[in-house]
Amino acid sequence: MKTNKSVIIWLLSGCVLLFIMVVVGGITRLTNSGLSMTDWHLVTDTFPPLSEEKWIAAFEEYKKFPEYQKINIHNDFTLSDYQFIYFWEWFHRFIGRIIGIVFIIPFAYFLIKNKLDNSTIKKCIILLFMGGFQGFLGWFMVKSGLIDQPDVSHFRLSLHLTFAFITFAYTLWVALDLIYPNKTVVILPLRKLARIAMLILIVQIIYGGFVAGLNAGLIHNHWPMMSEGKFIHETVWLEQSSLLLNLTEGKSGVQFVHRTLAYLVVGLMVWLFIRSKKYTLTSSQTKGVTTLVIFVFIQFILGVFTLLLHVPLWLGLVHQIMAFFLLSAMTFSLHRFSK
């Protein structure tokens, strides 16, 4: 079966939509908008409230939940403030619906027209389940902030964020399989190193979600030391009752892991770049690893300034966007060294 350009365009369009959704999700998180829609229905919530009466009813419902009762009730929170946060959460969910439509309808069309080989069909079915599971994770995350606490679980937030990144990476991988149908000689040492770098990058993304969920970027706003001239501040070990809890639930511990892993991520990708010079690479392999090392330095610098400037909204968003670009370059490089 010949590679169909329309299938490639379809998959890359899905990548673009996933990127947009993660960006809007970042805005939703940074503007504290994620708990504004306290109830959600697939059909009736396709559009936001279209009358003042419906807006007032939605606002009154929002007032019943912890975020308003424990935080916003003290902040002179008005209907217009509520409409602002509602928009971002609604828009985030709306894009999710668009992604579902953009995936399912063309997928059915390509199946009917026999434009997908068996391997691609299996990969697309996996993508279909990944998309559905991502929607479940979004609901699972929001639910955690509507019970007792006015914040979502940072574990659930990180799971939702990381799985979005993984879904994007897998969609890109499937597209790359079609863009580069001819296999090249696998350079085993570089593939192994690229796999390790990808794994550590995903762990770093997980911890980025922890930092975001705990607002851990608002403390220890110094670099390269955490504060008071200390590379490891004593609060890293003292906030929780055990080492594991300190490194997964303590703000200082989570930030320490995230900022320390950044050095490891940079080191691995630089090492991959240096090792690649010992081999004869294809043009795509060279472009991939060069782009990767450029992106990782940009991301590192963005991370430092995001911390030093106490996570301004725009910079926090740019840092998250750059993580997406870095994962894209990592996925491309790993694909080129694996096939």
Side-chain angles (χ1 to χ4, degrees), residues 65-93:
F65 290 87
E67 184 173 75
Y68 179 81
Q69 294 176 349
K70 295 184 178 183
I71 298 177
N72 287 332
I73 195 173
H74 306 295
N75 296 332
D76 194 24
F77 196 76
T78 65
L79 178 60
S80 62
D81 295 323
Y82 175 68
Q83 289 172 325
F84 173 79
I85 64 172
Y86 187 102
F87 169 79
W88 286 113
E89 176 62 11
W90 167 81
F91 191 38
H92 184 55
R93 300 187 190 196

Side-chain angles (χ1 to χ4, degrees), residues 14-307:
C15 289
V16 172
L17 285 171
L18 285 167
F19 168 73
I20 293 172
M21 188 168 187
V22 169
V23 171
V24 174
I27 297 173
T28 302
R29 173 181 57 81
L30 290 166
T31 56
N32 296 313
S33 302
L35 298 176
S36 57
M37 294 180 70
T38 56
D39 195 10
W40 186 71
H41 306 279
L42 184 61
V43 177
T44 56
D45 288 334
T46 300
F47 299 100
L50 299 177
S51 67
E52 186 175 359
E53 291 77 13
K54 290 183 177 180
W55 271 117
I56 292 173
F59 189 29
E60 291 302 315
E61 189 66 22
Y62 170 73
K63 290 179 180 179
K64 299 176 183 178
F65 290 87
E67 184 173 75
Y68 179 81
Q69 294 176 349
K70 295 184 178 183
I71 298 177
N72 287 332
I73 195 173
H74 306 295
N75 296 332
D76 194 24
F77 196 76
T78 65
L79 178 60
S80 62
D81 295 323
Y82 175 68
Q83 289 172 325
F84 173 79
I85 64 172
Y86 187 102
F87 169 79
W88 286 113
E89 176 62 11
W90 167 81
F91 191 38
H92 184 55
R93 300 187 190 196
F94 181 74
I95 295 172
R97 290 174 174 173
I98 297 299
I99 291 174
I101 293 171
V102 168
F103 183 85
I104 293 172
I105 294 178
F107 180 48
Y109 171 79
F110 291 137
L111 279 177
I112 293 170
K113 293 295 184 178
N114 195 31
K115 293 188 175 184
L116 303 173
D117 58 29
N118 289 334
S119 177
T120 304
I121 290 172
K122 291 177 183 177
K123 294 169 187 173
C124 289
I125 291 174
I126 292 173
L127 281 173
L128 180 63
F129 279 101
M130 291 178 77
F133 186 61
Q134 178 66 0
F136 163 78
L137 289 177
W139 168 83
F140 185 62
M141 176 189 68
V142 169
K143 184 181 178 182
S144 67
L146 297 176
I147 302 174
D148 300 314
Q149 299 299 322
D151 292 301
V152 299
S153 162
H154 69 287
F155 290 114
R156 298 187 188 188
L157 183 149
S158 184
L159 182 61
H160 184 51
L161 174 68
T162 304
F163 199 75
F165 275 75
I166 292 173
T167 302
F168 166 84
Y170 187 67
T171 306
L172 178 59
W173 189 278
V174 176
L176 290 171
D177 281 344
L178 299 177
I179 294 171
Y180 298 99
N182 300 320
K183 296 184 182 298
T184 58
V185 176
V186 175
I187 306 173
L188 292 177
L190 296 184
R191 183 178 70 177
K192 181 179 179 180
L193 186 55
R195 285 176 174 176
I196 294 171
M198 171 66 92
L199 178 61
I200 298 301
L201 177 59
I202 291 174
V203 174
Q204 177 70 325
I205 291 170
I206 291 171
Y207 264 88
F210 287 173
V211 170
L214 291 171
N215 292 318
L218 300 178
I219 60 173
H220 305 305
N221 300 103
H222 304 269
W223 186 84
M225 303 301 174
M226 290 188 72
S227 57
E228 302 170 5
K230 300 174 181 177
F231 185 77
I232 306 178
H233 197 267
E234 61 268 14
T235 52
V236 169
W237 319 113
L238 300 177
E239 289 186 18
Q240 302 294 326
S241 59
S242 69
L243 176 62
L244 178 62
L245 291 178
N246 273 310
L247 299 182
T248 56
E249 295 189 26
K251 291 184 179 182
S252 294
V254 163
Q255 191 203 102
F256 170 73
V257 173
H258 189 56
R259 65 196 289 159
T260 305
L261 275 178
Y263 295 107
L264 181 58
V265 171
V266 172
L268 281 169
M269 294 182 182
V270 170
W271 183 235
L272 178 62
F273 177 78
I274 293 171
R275 285 290 302 275
S276 69
K277 296 300 182 182
K278 298 180 180 180
Y279 299 90
T280 301
L281 304 182
T282 65
S283 174
S284 61
Q285 289 171 335
T286 300
K287 289 178 182 177
V289 73
T290 301
T291 302
L292 182 64
V293 78
I294 292 172
F295 280 3
V296 77
F297 277 111
I298 294 174
Q299 178 66 344
F300 185 88
I301 293 169
L302 286 173
V304 170
F305 279 98
T306 301
L307 181 66

